[in-house]
């Protein structure tokens, strides 16, 4: 390779690499302080241990807190007697329960004695505890990096989900995104805490005998249950899953054989304008409409898709409907007043500390490589910086939520890239010490390490694919990061060899360039 061409290639790669790394890592205020550039790294979504979570307390309809009870009685003494007649103190004193809720558990439909009320309170607590398990299953199916569901005082559910903030939002540089993230987290809790069974409804078609249970309060419009009273959702639906394809998000509904017949008959009737003026199948959970499907013709396939506007909504719908279709329904309709931001579980500055630690590790790798391999080490350092920039950019583009485990996985892939290159370098050193020319040493050194490096990368690729496809949440994210890092490591391993040749061409003393030394210079094969 000619010296001029070598210098041009080296300059282009170096400038592109440094530019990618600079804009990938460094955030700064723009001139005039009217705006701010947030780096690619600062725009990557963070897990709850790095950016905090959003939590709230869910209460079943008819359950209030002791604070609300005491406040209402104290401030509005006129209703004190009414509240005393309406509510019963739950064990522990943290909550009060409407007697009408307890009457449901009574054998004679009225829990009027203290013994009956205490027994009903125990059964209520058991149902709420079961609801906590159902809600935890929905959140797990939502593929969040982390979440918690706990029972408070026996009669309330404390639910937390990741805030989904990136560092720029968490640090307060992008307040608009903070509001969006808070709303998104609130939507997850709001959708997945919907209680009631899954029903399909239409304004004209359905079981007239089930009008009472299928009636909505929207404008007095009566809707009919398409499935009727003889079928449950589990008899019709096999699964409901999230899907994304070509920028289109939605849910994919798979039917049982019986469900296929039912939906085919119902959709054919609904699509026929002579039989129905409403060509829509509405999916309800309890008395809340979740999603709808317009029927232009009969649905005869075993599965069908319903598209929605964005990924988050599609994942919410899929997790909720799959749970309800499987019979995992919540016993109560839950309400909550507000969602609250909590600081990062690992500490307020955990994300910043991890970023600094990662940069220190990268600087240490660069310092060691330059000290041991001289200008060759500088060439490798450029590739290490390029590797880091590519990892940051791809993680951002793919939309991976970064957790502490994800950061360590990324560092593991940097160690993989570094180790493979140093292995080849040391093998080249041995060949050089054996008396080969540098060109012959490079060729033989890479040849001897090729199979080992290839096998290692193949194994890690298989592991990363399994983690991505089989696991959920943080482990799935780690699998994706490992997949990206493994591919980048292997490709840049060979690009490092190319850049070695490109930067070595102008050097007069090739061995001095590599930091190698040898006593004999005779070439032999």
């Amino acid at each position: 390779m000619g010296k001029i061409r070598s210098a041009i290639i080296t300059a282009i790669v170096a400038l592109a690499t440094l530019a990618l790394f600079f804009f990938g890592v460094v955030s700064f205020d723009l001139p005039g302080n009217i705006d701010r550039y947030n780096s690619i790294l600062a725009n990557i979504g963070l897990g709850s241990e790095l950016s905090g979570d959003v939590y709230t307390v869910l209460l079943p309809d008819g359950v209030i807190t002791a604070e609300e009870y005491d406040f209402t009685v104290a401030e509005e003494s006129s209703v004190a007697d009414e509240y005393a007649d309406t509510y019963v103190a739950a064990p522990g004193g943290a909550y009060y329960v409407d007697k009408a809720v307890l009457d449901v558990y009574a054998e004679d439909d009225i829990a009027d004695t203290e013994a009956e009320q205490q027994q009903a309170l125990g059964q209520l607590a058991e149902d709420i505890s079961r609801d906590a398990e159902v809600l935890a299953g929905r959140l797990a199916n939502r593929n969040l990096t982390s979440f918690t569901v706990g029972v408070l005082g026996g009669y309330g559910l404390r639910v937390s989900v990741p805030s989904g903030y990136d560092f720029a939002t968490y640090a307060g540089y992008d307040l608009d995104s903070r509001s969006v993230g808070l709303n998104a987290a609130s939507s997850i809790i709001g959708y997945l805490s919907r209680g009631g069974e899954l029903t399909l409804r239409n304004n004209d078609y359905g079981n007239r005998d089930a009008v009472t249970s299928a009636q909505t309060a929207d404008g007095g419009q009566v809707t009919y249950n398409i499935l009727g009273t003889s079928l449950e959702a589990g008899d019709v639906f096999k699964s409901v899953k999230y899907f994304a394809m070509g920028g289109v998000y939605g849910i994919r509904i798979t039917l049982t054989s019986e469900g296929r017949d039912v939906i085919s008959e119902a959709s054919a009737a609904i699509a026929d304008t002579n039989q129905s003026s409403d060509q829509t199948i509405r999916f309800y959970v309890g008395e809340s409409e979740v999603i709808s499907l317009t029927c232009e013709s009969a649905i005869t396939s075993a599965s069908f898709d319903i598209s929605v506007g964005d990924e988050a909504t599609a994942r919410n719908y899929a997790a909720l409907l799959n749970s309800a279709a499987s019979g995992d329904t919540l016993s109560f309709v839950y309400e909550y007043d507000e969602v609250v931001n909590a600081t990062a579980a690992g500490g307020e500055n955990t994300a910043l500390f991890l970023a600094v630690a990662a940069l220190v590790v990268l600087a240490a790798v660069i310092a060691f490589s330059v000290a041991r391999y001289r200008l060759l080490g500088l060439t490798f350092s450029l590739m290490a910086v390029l590797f880091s920039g590519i990892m940051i950019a791809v993680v951002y583009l793919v939309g991976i939520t970064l957790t502490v485990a994800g950061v360590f996985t990324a560092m593991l892939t940097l160690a993989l890239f570094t180790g493979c290159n140093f292995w080849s370098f040391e093998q080249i050193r041995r060949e050089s010490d054996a008396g080969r020319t540098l060109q012959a040493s490079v060729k033989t050194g890479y040849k001897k390490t090729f199979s080992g490096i290839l096998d290692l990368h193949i194994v890690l690729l298989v592991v990363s694919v399994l983690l991505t496809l089989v696991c959920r949440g943080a482990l799935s994210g780690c699998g994706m990061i490992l997949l990206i890092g493994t591919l980048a490591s292997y490709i840049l391993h060979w690009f490092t060899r190319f850049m070695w040749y490109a930067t070595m061409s102008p050097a007069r003393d090739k061995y001095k360039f590599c930091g190698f030394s040898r006593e004999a210079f005779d070439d032999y094969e």
Side-chain angles (χ1 to χ4, degrees), residues 321-336:
L321 294 177
N322 189 64
S323 173
S326 302
D328 292 330
T329 59
L330 297 180
S331 303
F332 304 100
V333 175
Y334 288 88
E335 299 177 350
Y336 62 95

Side-chain angles (χ1 to χ4, degrees), residues 28-40:
F28 51 88
D29 292 323
L30 296 175
N33 292 325
I34 58 175
D35 206 345
R36 176 183 175 85
Y37 171 76
N38 292 312
S39 66
I40 299 174

Side-chain angles (χ1 to χ4, degrees), residues 5 40 50 74 106 113 134 189 215 244 284 287 298 315 431 487:
R5 181 180 299 177
I40 299 174
L50 298 177
T113 68
V134 172
I189 298 174
Q215 187 171 3
Y284 275 75
E287 292 304 315
R315 290 191 180 277
E431 297 299 321
L487 291 174

Side-chain angles (χ1 to χ4, degrees), residues 12 26 72 87 241 246 309 337 366 379 404 420 432 442:
I12 292 175
V26 180
T72 304
Y87 290 97
K241 296 182 178 180
D337 292 331
I366 292 174
T379 301
V404 172
C420 289
S432 176
V442 171

